[in-house]
């Protein structure tokens, strides 16, 4: 059965969500951040009240940290409307709270407030763990509809990212500050990477990320979406915590835009413009963002400063090279969406998107690994699974660099269209020598 399409958000809705994303990108202590979250929720969803119930995994309780006149209330994580939301990890939209047996009116009795309707959203972090529940009460002029739910879910996704970041940062301050910060930043960054490669009929997918330091400025993504297979490789300027958070933020915003049904080109522009307003001057993210249709075997992509993009063509044993199609993300606002580049993958073809840490890796004499060695490896391993191709590339890099320490993050993404079982892979043409 084909899933029901989510409500399409208007440009104004997307602009409001991106405005919240920019605001939440700033560093906050937890109490201040929660006030920002609830204030943003009230404004965007036109609710009379908003609260954030944080989840305490140790006690399996939800507790209110911020609400207008209620503080320090703890309930079991399965009680009430917020408990139902937490337990099922799904939105709970109730048009008449007093008619719902899950609703607990005791809070109303204590505060003198009257709850008419409510919308509760689970806050889920990058590791698919429950952070808490955001609850909106009494929509102005009526009840919360499907459009409100779609908008609230987009807001909740960004709030969960901000809450996770803020709580992890607060935990770092309590311990060995610099060391713990680096460990937590790495945890946030690594948790945003795919836990497993998506299984796509007719394709092999593989991604690797090896940071040069405890944290790195790279990221990648391979994920199935309603619009196709998402293929991402991002590389932020610099190393350490700031670039790690920059690529994590880019990653989260990009997924949000595509999940809301935004087209590839417009999603790239929206995320670019958001980063242009939040990243410090001189900071940017080179990024390849592509969508593969496994039915038509067409790949559309926008490359913001990320190059070269290599496509090994099995039929001729040659490699096509594509350059960047736009400025790096966050370098400047884009006046218009850049058109995507479209290519078709034939059986045996391999898309290779690699970070600078591969091409610019140096040996003891200062020579770079370069594109030609990558192309030769793509041909030599043309019959190998992409996992073996990735391992062989890492092995070749280590052998080439010798005793030279890794100077930049090494990130790679491979997408290979497999050869039909009836075909003889050894019959693929060999390029002239």
């Amino acid at each position: 059965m084909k899933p029901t399409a989510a409500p399409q958000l208007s440009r104004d809705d997307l602009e409001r969500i991106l405005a919240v994303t920019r605001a939440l990108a700033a560093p906050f202590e937890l109490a201040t951040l929660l006030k920002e979250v609830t204030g943003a929720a009230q404004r965007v969803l036109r609710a009379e009240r908003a609260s954030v119930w944080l989840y305490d995994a140790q006690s399996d309780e939800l507790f209110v940290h911020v609400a207008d006149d209620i503080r320090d209330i703890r309930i079991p994580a399965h009680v009430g409307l917020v408990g139902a939301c937490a337990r099922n990890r799904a939105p709970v939209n109730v048009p008449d709270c007093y008619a719902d047996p899950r609703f607990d009116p005791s809070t109303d009795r204590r505060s003198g407030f009257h709850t008419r309707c409510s919308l509760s959203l689970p806050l889920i972090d990058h590791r698919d763990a429950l952070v808490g529940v955001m609850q909106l009460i009494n929509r102005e002029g009526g009840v919360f509809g499907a459009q409100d739910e779609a908008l609230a879910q987009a807001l909740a996704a960004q709030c969960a990212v901000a809450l996770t970041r803020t709580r992890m940062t607060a935990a770092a301050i309590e311990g060995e500050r610099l060391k713990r910060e680096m460990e937590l930043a790495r945890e946030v960054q690594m948790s945003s990477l795919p836990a497993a490669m998506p299984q796509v009929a007719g394709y092999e997918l593989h991604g690797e990320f090896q940071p040069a330091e405890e944290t790195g400025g790279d990221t990648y993504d391979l994920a199935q979406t309603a619009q196709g297979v998402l293929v991402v490789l991002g590389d932020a300027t610099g190393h350490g915590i700031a670039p790690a958070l920059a690529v994590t933020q880019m990653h989260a915003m990009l997924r949000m835009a595509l999940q809301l049904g935004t087209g590839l080109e417009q999603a790239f522009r929206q995320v670019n413009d958001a980063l242009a307003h939040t990243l410090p001057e001189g900071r940017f993210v080179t990024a390849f963002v592509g969508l593969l249709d496994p039915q038509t075997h067409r790949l559309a992509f926008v490359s913001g400063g990320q190059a070269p993009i290599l496509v090994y063509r099995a039929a001729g044993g040659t490699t096509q090279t594509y350059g960047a199609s736009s400025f790096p993300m966050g370098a400047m606002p884009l006046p218009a969406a850049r058109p995507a580049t479209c290519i078709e993958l034939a059986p045996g073809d391999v898309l290779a998107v690699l970070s600078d840490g591969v091409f610019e890796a140096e040996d003891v004499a200062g020579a770079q690994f370069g594109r030609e060695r990558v192309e030769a490896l793509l041909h030599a391993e043309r019959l190998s699974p992409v996992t073996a191709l990735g391992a062989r590339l890492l092995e070749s890099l280590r052998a080439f660099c010798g005793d030279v320490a890794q100077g930049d993050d090494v990130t790679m993404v491979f997408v290979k269209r497999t050869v039909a079982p009836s075909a003889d892979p050894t019959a693929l043409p060999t390029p002239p020598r």
Side-chain angles (χ1 to χ4, degrees):
M1 180 185 294
K2 189 175 181 180
T4 303
Q8 294 295 308
L9 300 182
S10 68
R11 181 178 179 83
D12 287 342
D13 289 335
L14 292 173
E15 289 293 338
R16 282 189 284 166
I17 290 295
L18 288 173
V20 172
T21 299
R22 289 193 289 269
L24 297 184
F28 292 112
E29 62 178 1
L30 184 60
T32 304
L33 176 65
L34 289 170
K35 289 179 181 177
E36 289 286 332
V37 167
T38 54
Q42 283 183 264
R43 292 192 304 273
V44 173
L45 277 302
R46 298 181 177 88
E48 288 184 29
R49 290 194 175 188
S51 59
V52 172
W53 295 74
L54 298 179
Y55 179 61
D56 184 340
Q58 188 171 2
S59 64
D60 194 28
E61 293 179 317
L62 293 165
F63 62 98
V64 171
H65 196 92
V66 171
D68 292 342
D69 53 4
I70 304 166
R71 290 182 180 274
D72 302 324
I73 293 179
R74 283 181 171 264
I75 62 171
H78 62 277
V79 170
L81 297 175
V82 291
C85 176
R87 182 175 63 253
N88 298 320
R89 297 161 65 98
V92 175
N93 190 351
V94 179
D96 184 356
C97 289
Y98 278 83
D100 193 307
R102 297 170 297 180
F103 177 65
D104 179 5
S106 61
T107 300
D108 272 13
R109 288 195 293 267
R110 283 196 302 270
S111 65
F113 183 80
H114 180 73
T115 302
R116 291 186 294 101
C117 59
S118 74
L119 174 60
S120 303
L121 287 303
L123 303 177
I124 308 296
D125 70 9
H126 285 307
R127 295 165 295 181
D128 202 37
L130 181 69
V131 176
V133 174
M134 180 171 66
Q135 187 176 51
L136 302 154
I137 295 175
N138 294 358
R139 197 204 193 283
E140 294 176 8
V143 298
F144 298 101
Q147 191 79 358
D148 295 317
E149 283 192 40
L151 191 56
Q153 287 186 67
L155 176 62
Q158 296 308 300
C159 291
V161 170
L163 282 169
T164 300
R165 184 191 69 230
T166 299
R167 295 178 86 177
M168 294 178 76
T169 301
I173 296 173
E174 296 175 3
E176 300 176 53
R177 185 181 180 91
L178 181 59
K179 179 181 178 181
R180 187 63 180 144
E181 278 184 354
M182 296 295 284
E183 291 173 351
L184 290 171
R186 179 180 176 84
E187 186 178 344
V188 171
Q189 185 178 22
M190 299 304 287
S191 68
S192 69
L193 301 178
M197 292 296 102
Q199 300 301 304
V200 180
Y203 284 87
E204 294 178 7
L205 308 175
H206 181 66
E208 293 237 17
F209 169 50
Q210 292 199 352
E213 300 177 1
E214 185 70 19
T215 58
D218 285 10
T219 192
Y220 76 89
D221 200 6
L222 287 161
Q224 287 182 307
T225 73
Q227 300 187 56
V229 180
L230 175 63
V231 183
V232 173
L233 187 144
D235 182 356
T237 50
H239 307 287
I241 295 174
L245 292 178
V247 292
T248 301
Q249 190 77 6
M250 180 273 291
H251 198 168
M253 289 191 293
L254 185 61
R255 275 201 171 196
M256 178 200 73
L258 291 172
Q259 286 170 359
L260 292 174
T262 308
L264 174 65
E265 294 96 335
Q266 196 59 39
F268 183 93
R269 182 192 178 193
Q270 289 173 356
V271 176
N272 172 84
D273 291 355
L275 289 174
H277 286 94
T278 58
L279 292 180
E281 187 176 353
R283 295 281 186 178
F284 53 83
V285 179
T286 62
F288 172 96
V289 184
L291 281 172
L292 168 69
D293 184 338
Q295 303 302 317
T296 64
H297 309 293
R298 289 178 63 81
L299 173 76
F301 69 85
V302 180
S303 180
Q306 183 66 42
I309 309 302
L310 305 179
V311 180
Y312 178 75
R313 297 298 187 180
T318 59
T319 301
Q320 282 185 289
T321 303
Y322 296 86
S325 57
S326 181
F327 296 109
M329 274 190 165
M332 64 183 72
L334 293 175
R338 297 298 176 93
T341 300
C342 293
I343 60 175
E344 186 171 334
L345 296 177
D349 288 356
V350 180
L351 167 73
V353 188
L354 312 173
S355 67
D356 290 346
V358 175
F359 298 112
E360 297 177 3
E362 296 184 350
D363 64 8
V364 291
Q368 294 188 344
F369 190 76
R371 188 186 70 195
E372 290 77 11
R373 286 184 175 85
V374 175
E375 292 180 0
L377 195 63
L378 288 172
H379 180 69
E381 300 294 327
R382 64 191 181 280
L383 304 182
S384 302
V386 287
T387 51
L389 171 59
R392 184 73 180 91
L393 178 54
L394 290 175
E395 179 185 317
S396 298
L397 275 174
R398 286 191 291 267
F400 176 80
C401 296
D403 295 332
V404 177
Q406 182 180 340
D408 198 0
D409 304 328
V410 170
T411 308
M412 57 186 74
V413 170
F414 297 109
V415 176
K416 180 178 184 179
R417 183 179 172 189
T418 54
V419 179
S422 59
D424 179 6
T426 61
L428 294 174
T430 301
R433 297 186 179 277

